[in-house]
Amino acid sequence: MDRTKVLKLFRETLRASREFRDYNFRSYFWRRNVDDFRKAATLKDETEIKAFLEKKSENLEMLKRQTIIQNLYHTAPSVMEQ
């Protein structure tokens, strides 16, 4: 698999997770994406790699949708953000 495509997808998922206003959502999705990509670095089989990338692409689209929905509703900043 092309390394640049994987890195691009990784960066896009991190950017999408940064868009959440809520600290808890933001940090959860950040950690989740980093952990998933670290685990995927050990994958050897080409079909497993393609399946992972397809799953993460769908996950990226979901993150973008959820960011828009969550940002429609204002919430007070958490204690961690103050």
Side-chain angles (χ1 to χ4, degrees):
M1 200 88 258
D2 189 15
R3 180 177 163 83
T4 57
K5 289 180 183 177
V6 175
L7 289 175
K8 182 180 179 196
L9 183 60
F10 178 65
R11 282 190 214 109
E12 287 179 359
T13 57
L14 292 182
R15 268 190 219 110
S17 64
R18 252 192 332 226
E19 295 296 318
F20 282 97
R21 285 186 188 167
D22 187 88
Y23 171 80
N24 294 319
F25 285 114
R26 198 171 48 241
S27 62
Y28 170 77
F29 287 116
W30 182 276
R31 280 191 323 269
R32 176 92 187 258
N33 286 317
V34 169
D35 291 344
D36 286 349
F37 276 92
R38 280 187 184 147
K39 288 178 188 174
T42 62
L43 295 177
K44 302 290 183 203
D45 186 28
E46 191 70 27
T47 57
E48 288 179 353
I49 295 170
K50 285 183 182 181
F52 170 77
L53 292 176
E54 187 172 315
K55 180 178 130 190
K56 290 313 278 183
S57 293
E58 292 173 7
N59 190 10
L60 174 61
E61 295 304 316
M62 181 271 307
L63 277 174
K64 289 178 181 179
R65 287 191 307 271
Q66 288 304 116
T67 303
I68 292 169
I69 292 170
Q70 197 239 358
N71 289 340
L72 288 174
Y73 304 100
H74 177 65
T75 57
S78 71
V79 176
M80 298 294 291
E81 295 173 310
Q82 293 177 349

